[in-house]
Each structure stands twice: as C-alpha cells, then as structure tokens.
Amino acid sequence: DTEVTQTPKHLVMGMTNKKSLKCEQHMGHRAMYWYKQKAKKPPELMFVYSYEKLSINESVPSRFSPECPNSSLLNLHLHALQPEDSALYLCASSQADRDGEKLFFGSGTQLSVL
Amino acid sequence: GESVGLHLPTLSVQEGDNSIINCAYSNSASDYFIWYKQESGKGPQFIIDIRSNMDKRQGQRVTVLLNKTVKHLSLQIAATQPGDSAVYFCAENNAGGTSYGKLTFGQGTILTVHP
C-alpha cells in the first residue's frame, strides 16, 4: 500500500476563515511533507517533518501552520490567507531505501481563497 | 527570465510510438532523481528513480537515462498508450547531507497521446 490520503479534496475559504488540511499515511514512513502547486507549475516544498519534528520550513508565511500529531498524521492549519494562496496543496511521505528517499504523494487539496 | 504565462513543453505522439521526455537539472551535487507522472486533478505518481552512480535503469515500459556530464535526465516510454497522457516531472534530491527527500522539481512536460 503506497497510499497517502488527503482531506478535504476541495476547500473554499474567505480571507478571515480558519481551516485545516489533513493528511494521513499508514506506510510507517518517517518523513512527511507539505508542497504547494500552482496551476501549470511544479510542486514547491513548504515543510518537512522528520520523526514528527519540523525539519525544514522553506520561509513559508506564518499564516500557514503545520502540525504533526503523530507519525501517521500531518495537518496544515490555515488562517488569514490571501487570494494568491489559492493552489493545490500536496502532502507526501517518504522512507529511505537502498536507492534513495522515495516520496509518495496524496491527491491534494484544491484550495480557493476568496 | 521567466515570462508570465510560461507554457510547459509539450510532446504529442501517436499511440504505440515511443516517447522521450527530457529534463536538465541544475545541481551537480544531486545524487538521486525521480520521474513523476501527474494526471489532471491528482497528485504526482512515482514512476521510476535512479541514483547518480547509475546511468540507466529500466522498469515496466519505462527507462530512465542519466548523463551526469551534461546534467541531463530522460524518460523513455515504450509503446505509449492514451493512459500515459499526463504532465511528467523530473525531480532531483539535493538534500544537502540530510537523509530526507528535499526534492526540487523540474518545470514539467505535457505528454499527449493520440489514439
């Protein structure tokens, strides 16, 4: 099973709302990620968690707040977003093997900020 | 510089043809590379990977070639099918000594397969 599950699939929110994106994996992977993808662009890394600790924050604005409650779950809390934050938000998880660190992605949450 | 409304490279092939998708990477320190396929409305799907100590790796209907001298990666798809139509991204791991996958993605190529 190489499944990463993201909810919700679609989200529309106003600039004053607070919402959360959720991600779950049951592959025992030790690292989890949030990526942002704008239309017709490649995914861009936002955050990396390794063993439930935040390892990388790619200078993401504080209106995005990640949380890793346990090794299977990853959340992204959203508050006071801007219309330009509208994008596909992708979660991924990974585990190293003899070749390298393979990332497996969920289907994403399509976010629209009005 | 990047222009507004930049269009992704596109490749159109007939069903049954072989497809070759190319990618140039920038970081000579990258030691691990992955090809992903992304269909509309879905997340990137792992296709095949290769380490920098290899120059070729084969999977089912796919082959990845790595030329470190010119920092070039290619994905070959044999007997392309309509279901192969998608955006294809190469990704390089420039983890900088860390052990997790800090992937940097290329710009992507749109593959369209005509029946």
Coordinates of all heavy atoms in Angstrom, one line a residue, chain B residues 43-77:
Chain B
G43 N -2.4 13.9 -7.5 CA -1.0 14.2 -7.1 C 0.0 13.5 -8.0 O -0.3 12.6 -8.7
P44 N 1.3 13.9 -7.9 CA 2.3 13.2 -8.7 C 2.4 11.8 -8.3 O 2.4 11.4 -7.1 CB 3.6 14.0 -8.3 CG 3.1 15.3 -7.8 CD 1.8 15.1 -7.1
Q45 N 2.6 10.9 -9.3 CA 2.7 9.5 -9.1 C 4.1 9.0 -9.4 O 4.6 9.3 -10.5 CB 1.6 8.8 -10.0 CG 1.7 7.3 -9.9 CD 0.8 6.6 -11.0 OE1 0.0 7.3 -11.7 NE2 0.8 5.3 -11.1
F46 N 4.7 8.3 -8.5 CA 6.1 7.8 -8.7 C 6.1 6.9 -9.9 O 5.3 6.0 -10.1 CB 6.5 7.1 -7.5 CG 7.9 6.4 -7.6 CD1 9.0 7.0 -7.2 CD2 8.0 5.1 -8.1 CE1 10.3 6.4 -7.3 CE2 9.2 4.5 -8.2 CZ 10.3 5.1 -7.8
I47 N 7.1 7.1 -10.8 CA 7.3 6.2 -12.0 C 8.5 5.4 -11.8 O 8.5 4.1 -11.9 CB 7.3 7.0 -13.3 CG1 6.1 7.9 -13.5 CG2 7.5 6.1 -14.5 CD1 6.2 8.8 -14.7
I48 N 9.7 6.0 -11.7 CA 10.9 5.3 -11.7 C 12.0 6.3 -11.1 O 11.8 7.5 -11.2 CB 11.4 4.9 -13.1 CG1 12.5 3.9 -13.1 CG2 11.7 6.1 -14.0 CD1 12.8 3.2 -14.4
D49 N 13.0 5.7 -10.5 CA 14.1 6.5 -9.9 C 15.4 6.0 -10.4 O 15.6 4.9 -10.9 CB 14.0 6.6 -8.4 CG 14.0 5.1 -7.8 OD1 14.0 4.1 -8.5 OD2 14.1 5.0 -6.5
I50 N 16.5 6.8 -10.1 CA 17.8 6.4 -10.4 C 18.8 7.1 -9.5 O 18.6 8.3 -9.2 CB 18.1 6.7 -11.9 CG1 19.5 6.1 -12.3 CG2 18.1 8.2 -12.2 CD1 19.7 6.0 -13.8
R51 N 19.8 6.4 -9.1 CA 20.9 7.1 -8.3 C 22.0 7.6 -9.2 O 22.1 7.1 -10.4 CB 21.5 6.0 -7.3 CG 20.6 5.7 -6.2 CD 21.4 5.1 -5.0 NE 22.4 6.0 -4.5 CZ 22.1 7.0 -3.7 NH1 20.9 7.2 -3.2 NH2 23.1 7.8 -3.3
S52 N 22.8 8.5 -8.7 CA 23.8 9.1 -9.6 C 24.9 8.2 -9.9 O 25.7 8.5 -10.8 CB 24.4 10.4 -8.9 OG 24.9 10.0 -7.7
N53 N 25.0 7.0 -9.3 CA 26.1 6.1 -9.6 C 25.7 5.1 -10.7 O 26.3 4.1 -11.1 CB 26.5 5.3 -8.4 CG 25.4 4.4 -7.8 OD1 24.3 4.5 -8.2 ND2 25.7 3.6 -6.8
M54 N 24.5 5.4 -11.3 CA 24.0 4.6 -12.4 C 23.8 5.5 -13.6 O 23.6 6.7 -13.4 CB 22.6 3.9 -12.1 CG 22.7 3.1 -10.8 SD 21.0 2.6 -10.3 CE 20.5 1.5 -11.7
D55 N 23.8 5.0 -14.8 CA 23.4 5.8 -16.0 C 22.2 5.3 -16.7 O 21.7 6.0 -17.6 CB 24.6 5.9 -17.0 CG 25.1 4.5 -17.4 OD1 24.4 3.5 -17.3 OD2 26.2 4.5 -17.9
K56 N 21.6 4.2 -16.3 CA 20.4 3.7 -16.9 C 19.7 2.8 -15.9 O 20.3 2.0 -15.2 CB 20.8 2.9 -18.2 CG 19.6 2.3 -18.9 CD 20.1 1.6 -20.2 CE 19.0 1.0 -21.0 NZ 19.4 0.3 -22.2
R57 N 18.4 2.9 -16.0 CA 17.5 2.0 -15.2 C 16.3 1.7 -15.9 O 15.6 2.6 -16.5 CB 17.2 2.5 -13.8 CG 16.6 1.5 -12.9 CD 16.5 2.1 -11.5 NE 16.3 1.0 -10.5 CZ 16.1 1.2 -9.2 NH1 16.0 2.4 -8.7 NH2 15.9 0.1 -8.4
Q58 N 15.8 0.4 -15.9 CA 14.6 0.1 -16.7 C 13.5 -0.4 -15.8 O 13.8 -1.1 -14.8 CB 15.0 -1.0 -17.7 CG 15.8 -0.6 -18.8 CD 16.0 -1.6 -19.9 OE1 16.8 -2.6 -19.7 NE2 15.3 -1.5 -21.0
G59 N 12.3 0.0 -16.1 CA 11.1 -0.5 -15.4 C 10.2 -1.1 -16.4 O 10.6 -1.5 -17.5
Q60 N 9.0 -1.2 -16.1 CA 8.0 -1.8 -17.0 C 7.6 -0.7 -18.0 O 7.0 0.3 -17.7 CB 6.7 -2.2 -16.2 CG 5.7 -3.0 -17.1 CD 4.6 -3.5 -16.2 OE1 4.3 -3.0 -15.1 NE2 3.8 -4.4 -16.8
R61 N 8.0 -0.9 -19.2 CA 7.7 0.1 -20.3 C 8.5 1.4 -20.2 O 8.3 2.3 -21.1 CB 6.2 0.4 -20.5 CG 5.5 -0.7 -21.3 CD 4.2 -0.1 -21.9 NE 3.4 0.6 -21.0 CZ 3.0 1.9 -21.1 NH1 3.4 2.6 -22.2 NH2 2.2 2.5 -20.2
V62 N 9.2 1.6 -19.1 CA 9.9 2.9 -18.9 C 11.4 2.6 -18.7 O 11.8 1.6 -18.1 CB 9.3 3.7 -17.8 CG1 7.9 4.2 -18.1 CG2 9.3 3.0 -16.5
T63 N 12.2 3.6 -19.2 CA 13.6 3.6 -19.0 C 14.1 5.0 -18.6 O 13.6 6.0 -19.3 CB 14.4 3.1 -20.2 OG1 13.9 1.8 -20.6 CG2 15.9 3.1 -20.0
V64 N 14.9 5.1 -17.6 CA 15.5 6.4 -17.3 C 17.0 6.4 -17.6 O 17.6 5.4 -17.3 CB 15.2 6.8 -15.8 CG1 15.7 5.8 -14.9 CG2 15.8 8.2 -15.5
L65 N 17.4 7.5 -18.3 CA 18.8 7.6 -18.6 C 19.4 8.8 -17.9 O 18.7 9.9 -17.9 CB 19.0 7.8 -20.1 CG 18.5 6.6 -21.0 CD1 18.7 6.9 -22.5 CD2 19.3 5.3 -20.6
L66 N 20.6 8.7 -17.3 CA 21.2 9.8 -16.6 C 22.5 10.1 -17.2 O 23.4 9.2 -17.3 CB 21.3 9.5 -15.1 CG 22.1 10.5 -14.2 CD1 21.3 11.8 -14.2 CD2 22.2 9.9 -12.8
N67 N 22.8 11.4 -17.6 CA 24.1 11.8 -18.1 C 24.6 12.9 -17.2 O 24.1 14.1 -17.3 CB 24.0 12.4 -19.5 CG 25.3 12.7 -20.1 OD1 26.2 13.1 -19.4 ND2 25.4 12.6 -21.4
K68 N 25.4 12.5 -16.2 CA 25.9 13.5 -15.2 C 26.8 14.6 -15.8 O 26.9 15.6 -15.3 CB 26.6 12.7 -14.1 CG 25.6 11.8 -13.3 CD 26.4 11.1 -12.2 CE 27.3 10.1 -12.7 NZ 26.6 9.0 -13.4
T69 N 27.5 14.2 -16.9 CA 28.4 15.1 -17.5 C 27.7 16.4 -17.9 O 28.2 17.5 -17.7 CB 29.1 14.5 -18.7 OG1 29.8 13.3 -18.3 CG2 30.1 15.4 -19.3
V70 N 26.5 16.2 -18.5 CA 25.8 17.4 -19.0 C 24.6 17.7 -18.2 O 23.7 18.5 -18.5 CB 25.4 17.2 -20.5 CG1 26.7 17.2 -21.4 CG2 24.6 16.0 -20.7
K71 N 24.5 17.0 -17.0 CA 23.3 17.2 -16.1 C 22.0 17.0 -16.8 O 21.2 18.0 -16.8 CB 23.5 18.5 -15.4 CG 24.6 18.5 -14.4 CD 24.7 19.7 -13.5 CE 25.2 20.9 -14.3 NZ 25.4 22.1 -13.4
H72 N 21.8 15.9 -17.5 CA 20.6 15.6 -18.3 C 20.0 14.3 -17.9 O 20.7 13.3 -17.7 CB 21.0 15.6 -19.7 CG 19.8 15.5 -20.7 ND1 19.4 14.2 -21.1 CD2 19.0 16.4 -21.2 CE1 18.4 14.4 -21.9 NE2 18.1 15.7 -22.0
L73 N 18.7 14.3 -17.8 CA 17.9 13.1 -17.4 C 16.9 12.9 -18.5 O 16.3 13.9 -19.0 CB 17.2 13.4 -16.1 CG 16.7 12.3 -15.2 CD1 17.8 11.4 -14.7 CD2 16.0 13.0 -14.0
S74 N 16.6 11.7 -18.9 CA 15.5 11.5 -19.8 C 14.7 10.3 -19.4 O 15.1 9.4 -18.7 CB 16.0 11.2 -21.3 OG 16.7 10.0 -21.3
L75 N 13.4 10.3 -19.8 CA 12.4 9.2 -19.5 C 12.0 8.7 -20.9 O 11.4 9.5 -21.7 CB 11.3 9.7 -18.7 CG 10.2 8.7 -18.4 CD1 10.7 7.6 -17.5 CD2 8.9 9.4 -17.9
Q76 N 12.1 7.4 -21.1 CA 11.7 6.8 -22.3 C 10.5 5.9 -22.0 O 10.6 5.1 -21.1 CB 12.8 6.0 -23.0 CG 14.0 6.8 -23.4 CD 15.1 6.0 -23.9 OE1 15.0 4.8 -24.1 NE2 16.2 6.7 -24.3
I77 N 9.4 6.1 -22.7 CA 8.2 5.3 -22.5 C 8.0 4.5 -23.8 O 7.8 5.1 -24.9 CB 7.0 6.2 -22.2 CG1 7.2 7.1 -21.1 CG2 5.7 5.3 -22.0 CD1 6.1 8.1 -20.8

